[in-house]
Amino acid sequence: MIDLCHPSRLGSNLSKGFVPSVDNLETLYHANRSINNHAMSQPVIIEHLVKVYTVRQRKGLFRSQKIEVHALNDVSFEVKEGEIFGLLGPNGAGKTTLIKILTTLLLPTAGKVFVNGYDVVKQENQVRSSVGCMLMGERGLYWKLTGRENLEYFAALYHLPPKKRKQRAAQILKLIQLEDIADRTVETYSSGQKMKLAFGKALIQDAPLLVLDEPTNTLDVPSASELRAIVRQLNQQGKTVIYTTHIMAEAEALCQRVAIIDRGELLALGTPDELKASLRSARITHIEGVISAQAEEKVRRLPQVRRTTRSAKNGATLLTVVSDEGYEILPDLIRVLGEHGARIQKIIPEEPTLEDVFIAKTGRTLAEDTRVRS
């Protein structure tokens, strides 16, 4: 039966001459209030989110065909107030698409998304004013302006008064340690300095929710560590942070909860400890050396092996084996690899990491790019 008083149908029904009864209006009021109260209860609520792109794929030199790419497929989760929430996955997983929907840069194909209590489709201006976002890294800066002028310009877009703009820009420049070069044009900055300034831009309106998309890309190790320390500091001051990354070790060190996304689907959600505990019955063994694809295939066929992945590391091959046994499987691994020409340099049985969780669920490493190319 069709509910004529469902919020999504009321406008069209009124335009067709339907007049709801007092009882129906009261039901609608309570339903709307329940929805709004739930949306206000958490900084981010995502319900059955779907995003589908139509792209052209080449078929020969002069022909192409349209195909549908499901960037997000029935994704649902909530972000709690005051937490650092990690959004993890390889390139092409759907992380950036999700972030762009959260920040109103893309419209969802289906589903509901609320940010700070606002509907991203119906209340996009309120969403934008309540979120600080770092999406495009250095590409979101004006290179012919100085670092200070960039921050003051974006502060003006958020309608900060002139005196407040200068104060806020000075505070951020000090926080991100760019005071010494604040009055140089951005085109003279290094890649790391540009990324720091892009991060500072996300802080300009002092929003309660920060959305940071791969913020440590192009940063050297000390600068990345400094940025993560600032994120922790902001979180301790009460800000909620959504932090996307493909570096699982970074997520383990920083995030209170994480969602692992791959090929548009939510694979796992929980604290890092909870996700690693889900592999408690599994054992992880890393083997470094010269290992062929044929040798990996023979290892995968061992009865106690669940999954394997093979990737490059420091000029060698890293074979990761997820199995039902720990040290007990080592003789079989060494025998099978030796029989198929592998040269083993190092064997490391380890406790599971978030990357191992990803491998166990997908059979692939995070280094694999899953983007669809036309």
Side-chain angles (χ1 to χ4, degrees), residues 48-52 101 106-113 119-121:
H48 306 293
L49 179 61
V50 175
K51 179 62 181 178
V52 180
I101 291 173
L106 285 176
L107 289 172
T109 303
K112 285 284 187 180
V113 180
D119 188 312
V120 298
V121 175

Side-chain angles (χ1 to χ4, degrees), residues 287-291 313 315-319 342-346:
I287 304 169
E288 291 184 27
V290 180
I291 304 169
K313 181 181 179 182
T317 301
L318 174 64
L319 178 66
R343 295 204 302 270
I344 299 172
Q345 298 170 353
K346 190 186 298 183

Side-chain angles (χ1 to χ4, degrees), residues 15 66 84 99 115 172 206 263-264 271 276 295:
S15 67
K66 289 183 178 180
I84 303 177
I99 291 301
V115 175
I172 291 172
D206 199 21
R263 291 176 173 164
T271 68
K276 288 185 287 184

Side-chain angles (χ1 to χ4, degrees), residues 231-239:
V231 171
R232 288 191 193 94
Q233 178 184 336
L234 294 169
N235 177 246
Q236 289 166 2
Q237 294 170 2
K239 293 194 184 299

